[in-house]
Amino acid sequence: MICRFAAAAVAVAVLFPIATHAQGVPGGVERGARDGERAAGPVGAVVGGAVGGVVGGVAGILGVDQRPRFHSYVVEQRRPSYQYREDLRVGAVLPEEGVNYYDVPPEYGAREYRYTVVNGRTVLVEPRTRRIVEIVE
């Protein structure tokens, strides 16, 4: 048991820098678990997934320095705001109808996502599921 714990700790130390490159919580969990399992087996997968999720959640999809620029970009575009009656949070699924989704410009490095404006706030959305993956403040 101690050997597994030590292996998991080593996996966290090794994987922490790798996990910072994952995009958001879902990407961080997935990548952390995969890399942790490779480095330390099942225990490494659990620890790597948890660390990757935390790091991914802190890093977000857009980098810290990109958020203000992207927010300014969206404001300049003057996109209409969709009025959403539910709690606006990461993980919420937006309706298929009535919401306009827009491509994220390539310079922001989030081509696989779309953005929209909901209740006056910019959000990044996973296009297949329409799930909010980041609220850009």
Side-chain angles (χ1 to χ4, degrees), residues 11-34:
V12 169
V14 169
L15 295 175
F16 190 77
I18 293 170
T20 61
H21 297 291
Q23 294 193 347
V25 173
V29 168
E30 181 180 319
R31 184 175 181 143
R34 185 178 57 244

Side-chain angles (χ1 to χ4, degrees), residues 125-137:
V125 177
E126 200 286 314
R128 290 184 315 266
T129 62
R130 299 175 321 281
R131 185 175 59 84
I132 296 173
V133 294
E134 185 170 341
I135 299 173
V136 182
E137 304 290 352

Side-chain angles (χ1 to χ4, degrees), residues 52-129:
V54 170
V55 172
V58 171
I61 299 199
L62 296 174
V64 174
D65 59 329
Q66 291 177 313
R67 288 183 191 136
R69 286 187 318 117
F70 183 69
H71 186 265
S72 294
Y73 166 81
V74 173
V75 169
E76 290 169 7
Q77 297 301 305
R78 298 179 189 246
R79 303 293 190 189
S81 180
Y82 175 78
Q83 294 306 306
Y84 187 63
R85 295 176 191 242
E86 307 285 324
D87 182 33
L88 186 63
R89 60 177 171 68
V90 171
V93 177
L94 297 176
E96 193 169 352
E97 301 292 323
V99 182
N100 295 317
Y101 300 98
Y102 308 97
D103 291 337
V104 176
E107 62 264 28
Y108 297 102
R111 292 182 192 175
E112 63 271 18
Y113 299 99
R114 302 293 175 265
Y115 77 91
T116 191
V117 179
V118 179
N119 299 344
R121 298 169 75 187
T122 302
V123 298
L124 290 180
V125 177
E126 200 286 314
R128 290 184 315 266
T129 62

